[in-house]
Amino acid sequence: AQSVTQLGSHVSVSEGALVLLRCNYSSSVPPYLFWYVQYPNQGLQLLLKYTSAATLVKGINGFEAEFKKSETSFHLTKPSAHMSDAAEYFCAVSEASGAGSYQLTFGKGTKLSVIP
Amino acid sequence: EAGVTQFPSHSVIEKGQTVTLRCDPISGHDNLYWYRRVMGKEIKFLLHFVKESKQDESGMPNNRFLAERTGGTYSTLKVQPAELEDSGVYFCASSQGATLLETQYFGPGTRLLVL
């Protein structure tokens, strides 16, 4: 079974500062990785996904993530934080669970606070 | 296009009672998933429907949980009888296909509190 570790359950950054949310995965096969965001009182929204086409993946709202196989990492970054980025972010890996089924395995999530 | 919708948004019940959660997937999505997040823990897979068939229910905690998807449209997840440890947020997701690359679209979740 694959696993995902998100370092830091809470991260605070100042408005305009770099956002860096960490995600490490454990997988015996090439992984397919996702970042989702959950804004207050909303569902999970896909930010971006890694599908092996390119190691640097650009997503919505100015976020991007870089797949580094040697470090088994898929960290999420944004050059300049906005107040609207305050949310909870989830890293996930897609895996086959057998019998033709696929499921997402999530990290514990990182809550991002943006300080004015 | 409407997204995944879930009803109710919140539910507070007493231990031993029954609760039924409903999920309406995106129209045309054959694949429907249920996940659960217990407070402080990861979001965890419960089961996967392809149309009306259960493709994988390996994540269902025990036989107090019953999921159905009659007609291959909306799905219900019934908890009977509810226990304290069932409290959490129940998410539904849907996708058009079922592959490792497929994006799953999530609903807002149902927040269940068992007292």
Side-chain angles (χ1 to χ4, degrees), chain A residues 32 34 36 38 42-44 46 49 51 88 90 94-97 99-104 106-108, chain B residues 33 35 37 40-43 45 48 55-56 58 91 98-108 111:
Chain A
Y32 295 97
F34 300 75
Y36 282 87
Q38 184 180 23
Q42 294 185 31
L44 279 72
L46 180 70
K49 64 180 177 181
T51 60
E88 191 161 18
F90 296 92
S94 177
E95 62 178 317
S97 61
S101 181
Y102 302 89
Q103 61 182 255
L104 293 172
F106 286 88
K108 287 189 174 182
Chain B
Y33 308 80
Y35 291 82
R37 187 185 193 193
K41 305 271 188 171
E42 303 91 338
I43 300 169
F45 169 83
H48 171 206
Q55 190 74 19
D56 182 358
S58 61
F91 292 102
T99 69
L100 289 169
L101 306 177
E102 200 77 27
T103 296
Q104 294 182 23
Y105 296 89
F106 282 77
R111 284 150 184 80

Side-chain angles (χ1 to χ4, degrees), chain B residues 87-100:
Chain B
S87 296
V89 182
Y90 290 76
F91 292 102
C92 176
S94 71
S95 67
Q96 197 158 30
T99 69
L100 289 169

Side-chain angles (χ1 to χ4, degrees), chain A residues 16-108:
Chain A
L18 171 72
V19 176
L20 170 61
L21 303 182
R22 299 178 187 274
C23 173
N24 289 86
Y25 67 90
S26 169
S27 174
S28 58
V29 297
Y32 295 97
L33 295 157
F34 300 75
W35 274 101
Y36 282 87
V37 60
Q38 184 180 23
Y39 298 104
N41 300 316
Q42 294 185 31
L44 279 72
Q45 179 182 0
L46 180 70
L47 272 177
L48 50 83
K49 64 180 177 181
Y50 169 72
T51 60
S52 76
T55 56
L56 183 63
V57 183
K58 294 189 184 297
I60 62 171
N61 302 337
F63 284 93
E64 62 183 36
E66 186 172 8
F67 174 73
K68 291 187 177 180
K69 184 178 178 181
S70 61
E71 299 178 8
T72 62
S73 69
F74 190 55
H75 301 332
L76 183 70
T77 60
K78 182 174 180 177
S80 177
H82 294 169
M83 297 298 294
S84 59
D85 294 327
E88 191 161 18
Y89 293 79
F90 296 92
C91 183
V93 63
S94 177
E95 62 178 317
S97 61
S101 181
Y102 302 89
Q103 61 182 255
L104 293 172
T105 297
F106 286 88
K108 287 189 174 182

Side-chain angles (χ1 to χ4, degrees), chain B residues 29-113:
Chain B
H29 282 193
D30 287 339
N31 295 273
L32 187 150
Y33 308 80
W34 283 98
Y35 291 82
R36 177 175 75 168
R37 187 185 193 193
V38 173
M39 192 169 62
K41 305 271 188 171
E42 303 91 338
I43 300 169
K44 289 204 169 178
F45 169 83
L46 295 179
L47 86 159
H48 171 206
F49 282 100
V50 178
K51 297 184 180 178
E52 68 275 10
S53 299
K54 291 176 187 174
Q55 190 74 19
D56 182 358
E57 53 183 332
S58 61
M60 295 286 264
N62 51 61
N63 60 11
R64 295 185 294 102
F65 289 75
L66 175 63
E68 295 180 323
R69 194 182 181 196
T70 307
T73 54
Y74 71 90
S75 173
T76 58
L77 180 64
K78 181 191 287 187
V79 185
Q80 179 183 30
E83 298 288 345
L84 300 179
E85 64 265 25
D86 300 333
S87 296
V89 182
Y90 290 76
F91 292 102
C92 176
S94 71
S95 67
Q96 197 158 30
T99 69
L100 289 169
L101 306 177
E102 200 77 27
T103 296
Q104 294 182 23
Y105 296 89
F106 282 77
T110 293
R111 284 150 184 80
L112 174 65
L113 179 60

